Amino acid sequence: MLSMRSLVSLLALIVTAASAKAETAQFDLAGPTLRVSVTHQGALLPISQVPQLATGDQISIIADLPDDQAAHYLLIAAFLRGATNPPPDKWFYEAELWKKKDRKGLKLTVPDGAEQIALFLAPATGGDFSTLRNAVQGRPGAFVRAAQELAQASLDRSRLDTYLAAIRKTVPGDPDRLDRITPLLARSLQVKINADCLTKLPDLQAPCLLQNQEALVLDDGHSNAITDAVAGPGADLALQLSATPQGGLGYYSPYIAAIRDVIGIFGSIRTAKYQYIPALAVLRDDRMSLVLNTPPSFHNPKSVLVTALPLIAPVHIPPLQVVERTPALCANASDLLLPIVGAPLVYATRYAHQLALRVSLPDGRTIDLPATPDAERGGLVIRNEGRFPTNLVAPVEATLHGIWGFQPFDGPKVQMVPAQTGRWKLPADTLSTSSATITVTGGASACVSGVVTQTGGDPAQPAIWKAAGPDAVSVALPDKAMRNGSTAIIIKAPSGEDRLTLAGPATPQGMGATVIARAVKRPTAASPVPITLVGDADIPSDARLTFSLRADKAARFTGREMIEVAAQSGGRTATISSADGMRLADQQVALASLTPATSLGASAFGPLRARIVRDGVAGDWLSLGTLVRLPRIEQLTCASDATANCTLSGDSLFLIQALSATPDFRQPIAIPDGYPYATVAVPHPTDGKLYLRLRDDPEAVGSIGA
């Protein structure tokens, strides 16, 4: 005789084997659509905004079947009240959808004591209503569990669909989009991702992230709280097994576990007359579109479609949490983001509606700033749109407010701070600092949109910065700050910018000069297919560059000077002396020549600068233009069909940022970062030319062709 442990193990194997095949079936077959609305204490909402039902709620259910519907369907609604308590006859309702009198569907009122509502769409046969009622009353535990699991699977499916829609969406001209949004989607929707997918080329990332879709969904305490229901001690042993590790739970996502469970339940109550097919609900407004994982049968055993409405239970307000430890929002910004986690259904459904950030003003008034969930950005997008007072001088408190189903709720609180210029201050010991970073205080870090630094006469450069507190920002200083003249820290905010100056130690003055002129000579046959650059601001790295300098009035060239030339990004610094490229025209004018690709290296690009060094003291940097690296174009091959793409072949095509058939770049073709290939598909030129933007200077436009 089998022991209880042996029996459990045997039944687990049976359940696992029986559902292993069924679980792979995708819910991708479109089924019927129901139109459902709920009235609660006089307020009417579509089903897409109703997370849970309550005693006394009035429910309208209309089947939205096509006019040429051939099969006669019976719509049955059954209220359930626990695994060990069969529902009474009066809790069952039917509508013969093929008859004119029942085309308005069902009007139900949730009775006291009901916990769940199961809906059935059954092919009409003799005695079908009583047969289905007897099945529910005879096995209430099976249908209680099925309603619970269908509700859970539908919620998990909504999270999965939201994730897949974001991944599948294409945004031309934004190759880094998936790198940016995928971690935020995972955090917002509580799904797991394969981080290795983000190491692939942009075109391969989305297909990789879409693999193993059903296993992406993670456990979510909030949706579990919404769908938890009694599957009490009277439930069949086999139905409980799917919640054990032996039955599969723990090895699959909650979504798969729920599907396995409901398929196992329906398999256990199949009869010669009826088989039960689970239908997941996809909600939009009042439309409850059913999706199936197996085609319905109209021969014995006939298929009965089973779905569930939201459970009848206390309201579970979403446990929203702000991501940052000390959150603050800038009152002056028009587009704010409040990072929120804790309730994926806020992003995946419309249960949370009329969301707003309710701000308490100093004069006692309140204003509501509309808030929209955005899973791709990982939070609620707050639209200010000029509603906030411009004369705010001190922080104010704001509370997230909204309605969850029919229930108003308040979420987390956040401070809103004004962005006022003139408040940022340097620390007192800036003259003696030698640190690589500096912390400025006094302003609102939430309102800082960027920081740049500028040393001496150099161009301003974006700085690495981070908020170090509500009123503090830590800024990384450039390497030569405090060593070569003063450094300015420019803090940008919605209301303007603050400029703070670090005074460096006194240094000997270098020899001053100005650029007189420069000449750029490209080598012959630099590329089989030449590239023509528009304007003369860019300097190809393979060109021979000759430039002339005029010394300041108080200075004279002696021939012992050296001229340093360097690009802003990459490469090395070239030194030109009278022995290898510098010549004096007279005591006031000197000329220098070099080939940047040879002297600075193949990785040098960007703004090109020169300065005079005499007796170890360097003068100010002087701008020579922008150094750009050009690809080698071997061939542009086009078919006679002007609508077909052409093929561009060559070397170092990664140096191209974008290509276009027109000079205004109306429909550009972006070249991915680090493109390693020797060919690329390009649009057919409209005027005999193909236009390109270079990665080293995206503002510059060049052309290929006649």
Side-chain angles (χ1 to χ4, degrees), residues 242-277:
S242 60
T244 67
Q246 293 92 341
L249 187 64
Y251 305 120
Y252 303 92
S253 74
Y255 175 70
I256 293 179
I259 294 303
R260 285 169 55 91
D261 204 358
V262 77
I263 289 174
I265 293 168
F266 288 161
S268 72
I269 58 178
R270 173 173 170 160
T271 66
K273 186 175 181 180
Y274 285 129
Q275 60 176 331
Y276 297 90
I277 295 179

PDB file of all heavy atoms in Angstrom, residues 242-277:
ATOM      1  N   SER A 242       0.511  21.454  -7.574  1.00  0.00           N
ATOM      2  CA  SER A 242       1.198  22.396  -8.449  1.00  0.00           C
ATOM      3  C   SER A 242       1.810  23.545  -7.673  1.00  0.00           C
ATOM      4  O   SER A 242       2.618  24.294  -8.211  1.00  0.00           O
ATOM      5  CB  SER A 242       0.229  22.939  -9.504  1.00  0.00           C
ATOM      6  OG  SER A 242      -0.840  23.590  -8.855  1.00  0.00           O
ATOM      7  N   ALA A 243       1.443  23.711  -6.412  1.00  0.00           N
ATOM      8  CA  ALA A 243       2.032  24.751  -5.579  1.00  0.00           C
ATOM      9  C   ALA A 243       3.239  24.245  -4.804  1.00  0.00           C
ATOM     10  O   ALA A 243       3.786  24.955  -3.977  1.00  0.00           O
ATOM     11  CB  ALA A 243       0.988  25.292  -4.601  1.00  0.00           C
ATOM     12  N   THR A 244       3.663  23.014  -5.062  1.00  0.00           N
ATOM     13  CA  THR A 244       4.825  22.433  -4.388  1.00  0.00           C
ATOM     14  C   THR A 244       6.002  22.385  -5.341  1.00  0.00           C
ATOM     15  O   THR A 244       5.822  22.404  -6.566  1.00  0.00           O
ATOM     16  CB  THR A 244       4.524  21.004  -3.908  1.00  0.00           C
ATOM     17  OG1 THR A 244       4.360  20.160  -5.064  1.00  0.00           O
ATOM     18  CG2 THR A 244       3.271  20.965  -3.065  1.00  0.00           C
ATOM     19  N   PRO A 245       7.243  22.319  -4.830  1.00  0.00           N
ATOM     20  CA  PRO A 245       8.398  22.180  -5.729  1.00  0.00           C
ATOM     21  C   PRO A 245       8.294  20.959  -6.626  1.00  0.00           C
ATOM     22  O   PRO A 245       8.685  20.989  -7.784  1.00  0.00           O
ATOM     23  CB  PRO A 245       9.580  22.081  -4.749  1.00  0.00           C
ATOM     24  CG  PRO A 245       9.111  22.788  -3.522  1.00  0.00           C
ATOM     25  CD  PRO A 245       7.650  22.487  -3.422  1.00  0.00           C
ATOM     26  N   GLN A 246       7.709  19.857  -6.104  1.00  0.00           N
ATOM     27  CA  GLN A 246       7.578  18.668  -6.940  1.00  0.00           C
ATOM     28  C   GLN A 246       6.653  18.920  -8.121  1.00  0.00           C
ATOM     29  O   GLN A 246       6.801  18.336  -9.191  1.00  0.00           O
ATOM     30  CB  GLN A 246       7.035  17.495  -6.102  1.00  0.00           C
ATOM     31  CG  GLN A 246       8.008  17.030  -5.032  1.00  0.00           C
ATOM     32  CD  GLN A 246       7.775  17.742  -3.717  1.00  0.00           C
ATOM     33  OE1 GLN A 246       7.152  18.803  -3.690  1.00  0.00           O
ATOM     34  NE2 GLN A 246       8.287  17.175  -2.630  1.00  0.00           N
ATOM     35  N   GLY A 247       5.667  19.787  -7.907  1.00  0.00           N
ATOM     36  CA  GLY A 247       4.716  20.081  -8.968  1.00  0.00           C
ATOM     37  C   GLY A 247       5.182  21.152  -9.919  1.00  0.00           C
ATOM     38  O   GLY A 247       4.507  21.467 -10.879  1.00  0.00           O
ATOM     39  N   GLY A 248       6.320  21.749  -9.657  1.00  0.00           N
ATOM     40  CA  GLY A 248       6.878  22.700 -10.609  1.00  0.00           C
ATOM     41  C   GLY A 248       7.072  24.097 -10.088  1.00  0.00           C
ATOM     42  O   GLY A 248       7.841  24.866 -10.641  1.00  0.00           O
ATOM     43  N   LEU A 249       6.365  24.499  -9.005  1.00  0.00           N
ATOM     44  CA  LEU A 249       6.524  25.855  -8.508  1.00  0.00           C
ATOM     45  C   LEU A 249       7.937  26.031  -7.961  1.00  0.00           C
ATOM     46  O   LEU A 249       8.441  25.206  -7.214  1.00  0.00           O
ATOM     47  CB  LEU A 249       5.503  26.151  -7.416  1.00  0.00           C
ATOM     48  CG  LEU A 249       5.468  27.606  -6.945  1.00  0.00           C
ATOM     49  CD1 LEU A 249       5.022  28.518  -8.073  1.00  0.00           C
ATOM     50  CD2 LEU A 249       4.533  27.764  -5.758  1.00  0.00           C
ATOM     51  N   GLY A 250       8.569  27.119  -8.311  1.00  0.00           N
ATOM     52  CA  GLY A 250       9.948  27.335  -7.901  1.00  0.00           C
ATOM     53  C   GLY A 250      10.902  27.168  -9.062  1.00  0.00           C
ATOM     54  O   GLY A 250      11.988  27.717  -9.061  1.00  0.00           O
ATOM     55  N   TYR A 251      10.475  26.407 -10.067  1.00  0.00           N
ATOM     56  CA  TYR A 251      11.311  26.215 -11.245  1.00  0.00           C
ATOM     57  C   TYR A 251      10.820  27.054 -12.418  1.00  0.00           C
ATOM     58  O   TYR A 251      11.444  27.099 -13.461  1.00  0.00           O
ATOM     59  CB  TYR A 251      11.335  24.737 -11.644  1.00  0.00           C
ATOM     60  CG  TYR A 251      11.758  23.828 -10.518  1.00  0.00           C
ATOM     61  CD1 TYR A 251      10.915  22.826 -10.048  1.00  0.00           C
ATOM     62  CD2 TYR A 251      12.997  23.982  -9.894  1.00  0.00           C
ATOM     63  CE1 TYR A 251      11.298  21.988  -9.009  1.00  0.00           C
ATOM     64  CE2 TYR A 251      13.384  23.154  -8.855  1.00  0.00           C
ATOM     65  CZ  TYR A 251      12.533  22.160  -8.420  1.00  0.00           C
ATOM     66  OH  TYR A 251      12.912  21.359  -7.394  1.00  0.00           O
ATOM     67  N   TYR A 252       9.683  27.692 -12.261  1.00  0.00           N
ATOM     68  CA  TYR A 252       9.093  28.475 -13.333  1.00  0.00           C
ATOM     69  C   TYR A 252       8.692  29.839 -12.787  1.00  0.00           C
ATOM     70  O   TYR A 252       8.602  30.042 -11.589  1.00  0.00           O
ATOM     71  CB  TYR A 252       7.859  27.766 -13.921  1.00  0.00           C
ATOM     72  CG  TYR A 252       8.149  26.392 -14.442  1.00  0.00           C
ATOM     73  CD1 TYR A 252       7.994  25.275 -13.630  1.00  0.00           C
ATOM     74  CD2 TYR A 252       8.614  26.211 -15.735  1.00  0.00           C
ATOM     75  CE1 TYR A 252       8.276  24.005 -14.104  1.00  0.00           C
ATOM     76  CE2 TYR A 252       8.903  24.950 -16.224  1.00  0.00           C
ATOM     77  CZ  TYR A 252       8.735  23.849 -15.405  1.00  0.00           C
ATOM     78  OH  TYR A 252       9.016  22.610 -15.879  1.00  0.00           O
ATOM     79  N   SER A 253       8.396  30.768 -13.695  1.00  0.00           N
ATOM     80  CA  SER A 253       7.920  32.074 -13.252  1.00  0.00           C
ATOM     81  C   SER A 253       6.507  31.935 -12.713  1.00  0.00           C
ATOM     82  O   SER A 253       5.820  30.945 -12.962  1.00  0.00           O
ATOM     83  CB  SER A 253       7.921  33.038 -14.440  1.00  0.00           C
ATOM     84  OG  SER A 253       6.844  32.736 -15.306  1.00  0.00           O
ATOM     85  N   PRO A 254       6.012  32.927 -11.939  1.00  0.00           N
ATOM     86  CA  PRO A 254       4.628  32.872 -11.463  1.00  0.00           C
ATOM     87  C   PRO A 254       3.629  32.725 -12.612  1.00  0.00           C
ATOM     88  O   PRO A 254       2.607  32.067 -12.451  1.00  0.00           O
ATOM     89  CB  PRO A 254       4.456  34.200 -10.732  1.00  0.00           C
ATOM     90  CG  PRO A 254       5.839  34.596 -10.335  1.00  0.00           C
ATOM     91  CD  PRO A 254       6.736  34.092 -11.425  1.00  0.00           C
ATOM     92  N   TYR A 255       3.923  33.341 -13.728  1.00  0.00           N
ATOM     93  CA  TYR A 255       3.017  33.249 -14.879  1.00  0.00           C
ATOM     94  C   TYR A 255       2.900  31.802 -15.353  1.00  0.00           C
ATOM     95  O   TYR A 255       1.811  31.264 -15.523  1.00  0.00           O
ATOM     96  CB  TYR A 255       3.539  34.148 -15.997  1.00  0.00           C
ATOM     97  CG  TYR A 255       2.763  34.067 -17.290  1.00  0.00           C
ATOM     98  CD1 TYR A 255       1.473  34.574 -17.376  1.00  0.00           C
ATOM     99  CD2 TYR A 255       3.321  33.502 -18.428  1.00  0.00           C
ATOM    100  CE1 TYR A 255       0.760  34.518 -18.555  1.00  0.00           C
ATOM    101  CE2 TYR A 255       2.616  33.440 -19.615  1.00  0.00           C
ATOM    102  CZ  TYR A 255       1.340  33.950 -19.679  1.00  0.00           C
ATOM    103  OH  TYR A 255       0.633  33.892 -20.844  1.00  0.00           O
ATOM    104  N   ILE A 256       4.042  31.131 -15.536  1.00  0.00           N
ATOM    105  CA  ILE A 256       4.018  29.740 -15.976  1.00  0.00           C
ATOM    106  C   ILE A 256       3.370  28.868 -14.914  1.00  0.00           C
ATOM    107  O   ILE A 256       2.595  27.956 -15.212  1.00  0.00           O
ATOM    108  CB  ILE A 256       5.444  29.247 -16.299  1.00  0.00           C
ATOM    109  CG1 ILE A 256       5.979  29.986 -17.529  1.00  0.00           C
ATOM    110  CG2 ILE A 256       5.458  27.756 -16.540  1.00  0.00           C
ATOM    111  CD1 ILE A 256       7.369  29.580 -17.913  1.00  0.00           C
ATOM    112  N   ALA A 257       3.677  29.138 -13.632  1.00  0.00           N
ATOM    113  CA  ALA A 257       3.111  28.330 -12.557  1.00  0.00           C
ATOM    114  C   ALA A 257       1.590  28.422 -12.558  1.00  0.00           C
ATOM    115  O   ALA A 257       0.890  27.420 -12.372  1.00  0.00           O
ATOM    116  CB  ALA A 257       3.678  28.782 -11.218  1.00  0.00           C
ATOM    117  N   ALA A 258       1.051  29.624 -12.762  1.00  0.00           N
ATOM    118  CA  ALA A 258      -0.404  29.785 -12.781  1.00  0.00           C
ATOM    119  C   ALA A 258      -1.018  29.046 -13.964  1.00  0.00           C
ATOM    120  O   ALA A 258      -2.065  28.392 -13.829  1.00  0.00           O
ATOM    121  CB  ALA A 258      -0.761  31.270 -12.830  1.00  0.00           C
ATOM    122  N   ILE A 259      -0.380  29.129 -15.118  1.00  0.00           N
ATOM    123  CA  ILE A 259      -0.900  28.441 -16.300  1.00  0.00           C
ATOM    124  C   ILE A 259      -0.854  26.925 -16.101  1.00  0.00           C
ATOM    125  O   ILE A 259      -1.810  26.202 -16.408  1.00  0.00           O
ATOM    126  CB  ILE A 259      -0.097  28.851 -17.552  1.00  0.00           C
ATOM    127  CG1 ILE A 259      -0.319  30.339 -17.857  1.00  0.00           C
ATOM    128  CG2 ILE A 259      -0.492  28.004 -18.750  1.00  0.00           C
ATOM    129  CD1 ILE A 259      -1.760  30.723 -18.064  1.00  0.00           C
ATOM    130  N   ARG A 260       0.262  26.412 -15.584  1.00  0.00           N
ATOM    131  CA  ARG A 260       0.371  24.975 -15.310  1.00  0.00           C
ATOM    132  C   ARG A 260      -0.736  24.536 -14.354  1.00  0.00           C
ATOM    133  O   ARG A 260      -1.365  23.493 -14.522  1.00  0.00           O
ATOM    134  CB  ARG A 260       1.735  24.664 -14.685  1.00  0.00           C
ATOM    135  CG  ARG A 260       2.897  24.676 -15.653  1.00  0.00           C
ATOM    136  CD  ARG A 260       4.218  24.639 -14.910  1.00  0.00           C
ATOM    137  NE  ARG A 260       4.291  23.505 -13.996  1.00  0.00           N
ATOM    138  CZ  ARG A 260       4.781  22.318 -14.318  1.00  0.00           C
ATOM    139  NH1 ARG A 260       5.234  22.124 -15.537  1.00  0.00           N
ATOM    140  NH2 ARG A 260       4.816  21.343 -13.446  1.00  0.00           N
ATOM    141  N   ASP A 261      -0.969  25.353 -13.344  1.00  0.00           N
ATOM    142  CA  ASP A 261      -1.964  25.016 -12.333  1.00  0.00           C
ATOM    143  C   ASP A 261      -3.353  24.910 -12.953  1.00  0.00           C
ATOM    144  O   ASP A 261      -4.065  23.927 -12.756  1.00  0.00           O
ATOM    145  CB  ASP A 261      -1.945  26.072 -11.232  1.00  0.00           C
ATOM    146  CG  ASP A 261      -2.490  25.533  -9.913  1.00  0.00           C
ATOM    147  OD1 ASP A 261      -2.912  24.371  -9.885  1.00  0.00           O
ATOM    148  OD2 ASP A 261      -2.472  26.276  -8.919  1.00  0.00           O
ATOM    149  N   VAL A 262      -3.764  25.931 -13.704  1.00  0.00           N
ATOM    150  CA  VAL A 262      -5.124  25.946 -14.226  1.00  0.00           C
ATOM    151  C   VAL A 262      -5.312  24.861 -15.284  1.00  0.00           C
ATOM    152  O   VAL A 262      -6.396  24.253 -15.388  1.00  0.00           O
ATOM    153  CB  VAL A 262      -5.471  27.345 -14.765  1.00  0.00           C
ATOM    154  CG1 VAL A 262      -4.832  27.610 -16.113  1.00  0.00           C
ATOM    155  CG2 VAL A 262      -6.982  27.536 -14.853  1.00  0.00           C
ATOM    156  N   ILE A 263      -4.267  24.566 -16.072  1.00  0.00           N
ATOM    157  CA  ILE A 263      -4.376  23.485 -17.054  1.00  0.00           C
ATOM    158  C   ILE A 263      -4.534  22.145 -16.338  1.00  0.00           C
ATOM    159  O   ILE A 263      -5.326  21.279 -16.739  1.00  0.00           O
ATOM    160  CB  ILE A 263      -3.157  23.482 -17.992  1.00  0.00           C
ATOM    161  CG1 ILE A 263      -3.221  24.692 -18.931  1.00  0.00           C
ATOM    162  CG2 ILE A 263      -3.104  22.202 -18.810  1.00  0.00           C
ATOM    163  CD1 ILE A 263      -1.997  24.860 -19.806  1.00  0.00           C
ATOM    164  N   GLY A 264      -3.783  21.967 -15.257  1.00  0.00           N
ATOM    165  CA  GLY A 264      -3.931  20.731 -14.484  1.00  0.00           C
ATOM    166  C   GLY A 264      -5.321  20.604 -13.879  1.00  0.00           C
ATOM    167  O   GLY A 264      -5.906  19.517 -13.855  1.00  0.00           O
ATOM    168  N   ILE A 265      -5.862  21.722 -13.388  1.00  0.00           N
ATOM    169  CA  ILE A 265      -7.208  21.702 -12.813  1.00  0.00           C
ATOM    170  C   ILE A 265      -8.232  21.296 -13.867  1.00  0.00           C
ATOM    171  O   ILE A 265      -9.058  20.399 -13.655  1.00  0.00           O
ATOM    172  CB  ILE A 265      -7.557  23.086 -12.243  1.00  0.00           C
ATOM    173  CG1 ILE A 265      -6.673  23.402 -11.035  1.00  0.00           C
ATOM    174  CG2 ILE A 265      -9.028  23.162 -11.852  1.00  0.00           C
ATOM    175  CD1 ILE A 265      -6.753  24.845 -10.595  1.00  0.00           C
ATOM    176  N   PHE A 266      -8.187  21.940 -15.010  1.00  0.00           N
ATOM    177  CA  PHE A 266      -9.180  21.656 -16.035  1.00  0.00           C
ATOM    178  C   PHE A 266      -9.036  20.242 -16.587  1.00  0.00           C
ATOM    179  O   PHE A 266     -10.018  19.620 -16.991  1.00  0.00           O
ATOM    180  CB  PHE A 266      -9.081  22.682 -17.167  1.00  0.00           C
ATOM    181  CG  PHE A 266      -9.596  24.044 -16.777  1.00  0.00           C
ATOM    182  CD1 PHE A 266      -9.243  25.168 -17.495  1.00  0.00           C
ATOM    183  CD2 PHE A 266     -10.436  24.199 -15.692  1.00  0.00           C
ATOM    184  CE1 PHE A 266      -9.723  26.423 -17.139  1.00  0.00           C
ATOM    185  CE2 PHE A 266     -10.915  25.444 -15.325  1.00  0.00           C
ATOM    186  CZ  PHE A 266     -10.565  26.555 -16.048  1.00  0.00           C
ATOM    187  N   GLY A 267      -7.804  19.735 -16.623  1.00  0.00           N
ATOM    188  CA  GLY A 267      -7.624  18.351 -17.056  1.00  0.00           C
ATOM    189  C   GLY A 267      -8.277  17.365 -16.109  1.00  0.00           C
ATOM    190  O   GLY A 267      -8.776  16.316 -16.521  1.00  0.00           O
ATOM    191  N   SER A 268      -8.315  17.731 -14.823  1.00  0.00           N
ATOM    192  CA  SER A 268      -8.865  16.806 -13.835  1.00  0.00           C
ATOM    193  C   SER A 268     -10.386  16.767 -13.829  1.00  0.00           C
ATOM    194  O   SER A 268     -10.979  15.845 -13.274  1.00  0.00           O
ATOM    195  CB  SER A 268      -8.352  17.182 -12.440  1.00  0.00           C
ATOM    196  OG  SER A 268      -8.959  18.380 -11.995  1.00  0.00           O
ATOM    197  N   ILE A 269     -11.055  17.777 -14.418  1.00  0.00           N
ATOM    198  CA  ILE A 269     -12.520  17.801 -14.399  1.00  0.00           C
ATOM    199  C   ILE A 269     -13.108  17.646 -15.797  1.00  0.00           C
ATOM    200  O   ILE A 269     -14.289  17.916 -16.011  1.00  0.00           O
ATOM    201  CB  ILE A 269     -13.034  19.106 -13.757  1.00  0.00           C
ATOM    202  CG1 ILE A 269     -12.508  20.325 -14.505  1.00  0.00           C
ATOM    203  CG2 ILE A 269     -12.645  19.181 -12.297  1.00  0.00           C
ATOM    204  CD1 ILE A 269     -13.024  21.644 -13.954  1.00  0.00           C
ATOM    205  N   ARG A 270     -12.315  17.197 -16.716  1.00  0.00           N
ATOM    206  CA  ARG A 270     -12.817  16.963 -18.077  1.00  0.00           C
ATOM    207  C   ARG A 270     -13.794  15.792 -18.067  1.00  0.00           C
ATOM    208  O   ARG A 270     -13.605  14.802 -17.352  1.00  0.00           O
ATOM    209  CB  ARG A 270     -11.640  16.679 -19.012  1.00  0.00           C
ATOM    210  CG  ARG A 270     -12.029  16.249 -20.410  1.00  0.00           C
ATOM    211  CD  ARG A 270     -10.820  16.154 -21.278  1.00  0.00           C
ATOM    212  NE  ARG A 270     -11.117  15.531 -22.564  1.00  0.00           N
ATOM    213  CZ  ARG A 270     -10.359  15.658 -23.643  1.00  0.00           C
ATOM    214  NH1 ARG A 270      -9.254  16.365 -23.578  1.00  0.00           N
ATOM    215  NH2 ARG A 270     -10.692  15.067 -24.765  1.00  0.00           N
ATOM    216  N   THR A 271     -14.857  15.924 -18.870  1.00  0.00           N
ATOM    217  CA  THR A 271     -15.847  14.855 -19.004  1.00  0.00           C
ATOM    218  C   THR A 271     -15.990  14.499 -20.477  1.00  0.00           C
ATOM    219  O   THR A 271     -15.382  15.132 -21.358  1.00  0.00           O
ATOM    220  CB  THR A 271     -17.211  15.316 -18.453  1.00  0.00           C
ATOM    221  OG1 THR A 271     -17.720  16.374 -19.283  1.00  0.00           O
ATOM    222  CG2 THR A 271     -17.074  15.801 -17.008  1.00  0.00           C
ATOM    223  N   ALA A 272     -16.839  13.483 -20.737  1.00  0.00           N
ATOM    224  CA  ALA A 272     -17.063  13.085 -22.126  1.00  0.00           C
ATOM    225  C   ALA A 272     -17.801  14.170 -22.900  1.00  0.00           C
ATOM    226  O   ALA A 272     -17.699  14.255 -24.123  1.00  0.00           O
ATOM    227  CB  ALA A 272     -17.856  11.779 -22.172  1.00  0.00           C
ATOM    228  N   LYS A 273     -18.500  15.034 -22.176  1.00  0.00           N
ATOM    229  CA  LYS A 273     -19.296  16.066 -22.840  1.00  0.00           C
ATOM    230  C   LYS A 273     -18.556  17.388 -22.942  1.00  0.00           C
ATOM    231  O   LYS A 273     -18.678  18.106 -23.937  1.00  0.00           O
ATOM    232  CB  LYS A 273     -20.602  16.269 -22.072  1.00  0.00           C
ATOM    233  CG  LYS A 273     -21.576  17.221 -22.756  1.00  0.00           C
ATOM    234  CD  LYS A 273     -22.892  17.292 -22.002  1.00  0.00           C
ATOM    235  CE  LYS A 273     -23.868  18.226 -22.700  1.00  0.00           C
ATOM    236  NZ  LYS A 273     -25.165  18.313 -21.991  1.00  0.00           N
ATOM    237  N   TYR A 274     -17.800  17.728 -21.888  1.00  0.00           N
ATOM    238  CA  TYR A 274     -17.155  19.039 -21.848  1.00  0.00           C
ATOM    239  C   TYR A 274     -15.676  18.932 -21.499  1.00  0.00           C
ATOM    240  O   TYR A 274     -15.271  18.100 -20.684  1.00  0.00           O
ATOM    241  CB  TYR A 274     -17.823  19.943 -20.790  1.00  0.00           C
ATOM    242  CG  TYR A 274     -19.168  20.498 -21.197  1.00  0.00           C
ATOM    243  CD1 TYR A 274     -20.269  20.367 -20.350  1.00  0.00           C
ATOM    244  CD2 TYR A 274     -19.342  21.162 -22.408  1.00  0.00           C
ATOM    245  CE1 TYR A 274     -21.508  20.879 -20.709  1.00  0.00           C
ATOM    246  CE2 TYR A 274     -20.573  21.679 -22.763  1.00  0.00           C
ATOM    247  CZ  TYR A 274     -21.649  21.531 -21.917  1.00  0.00           C
ATOM    248  OH  TYR A 274     -22.872  22.040 -22.276  1.00  0.00           O
ATOM    249  N   GLN A 275     -14.904  19.805 -22.152  1.00  0.00           N
ATOM    250  CA  GLN A 275     -13.536  20.078 -21.724  1.00  0.00           C
ATOM    251  C   GLN A 275     -13.434  21.591 -21.488  1.00  0.00           C
ATOM    252  O   GLN A 275     -14.078  22.373 -22.163  1.00  0.00           O
ATOM    253  CB  GLN A 275     -12.513  19.641 -22.774  1.00  0.00           C
ATOM    254  CG  GLN A 275     -12.664  20.326 -24.124  1.00  0.00           C
ATOM    255  CD  GLN A 275     -11.580  19.938 -25.097  1.00  0.00           C
ATOM    256  OE1 GLN A 275     -10.473  19.611 -24.689  1.00  0.00           O
ATOM    257  NE2 GLN A 275     -11.902  19.950 -26.394  1.00  0.00           N
ATOM    258  N   TYR A 276     -12.635  21.958 -20.499  1.00  0.00           N
ATOM    259  CA  TYR A 276     -12.557  23.370 -20.104  1.00  0.00           C
ATOM    260  C   TYR A 276     -11.249  23.970 -20.604  1.00  0.00           C
ATOM    261  O   TYR A 276     -10.170  23.398 -20.408  1.00  0.00           O
ATOM    262  CB  TYR A 276     -12.671  23.496 -18.584  1.00  0.00           C
ATOM    263  CG  TYR A 276     -14.009  23.008 -18.075  1.00  0.00           C
ATOM    264  CD1 TYR A 276     -14.195  21.674 -17.719  1.00  0.00           C
ATOM    265  CD2 TYR A 276     -15.084  23.870 -17.978  1.00  0.00           C
ATOM    266  CE1 TYR A 276     -15.424  21.219 -17.261  1.00  0.00           C
ATOM    267  CE2 TYR A 276     -16.324  23.429 -17.521  1.00  0.00           C
ATOM    268  CZ  TYR A 276     -16.488  22.092 -17.174  1.00  0.00           C
ATOM    269  OH  TYR A 276     -17.706  21.654 -16.734  1.00  0.00           O
ATOM    270  N   ILE A 277     -11.370  25.116 -21.271  1.00  0.00           N
ATOM    271  CA  ILE A 277     -10.210  25.793 -21.863  1.00  0.00           C
ATOM    272  C   ILE A 277      -9.997  27.114 -21.137  1.00  0.00           C
ATOM    273  O   ILE A 277     -10.913  27.944 -21.053  1.00  0.00           O
ATOM    274  CB  ILE A 277     -10.431  26.056 -23.366  1.00  0.00           C
ATOM    275  CG1 ILE A 277     -10.529  24.744 -24.132  1.00  0.00           C
ATOM    276  CG2 ILE A 277      -9.304  26.907 -23.937  1.00  0.00           C
ATOM    277  CD1 ILE A 277     -10.778  24.920 -25.606  1.00  0.00           C
TER     278      ILE A 277
END
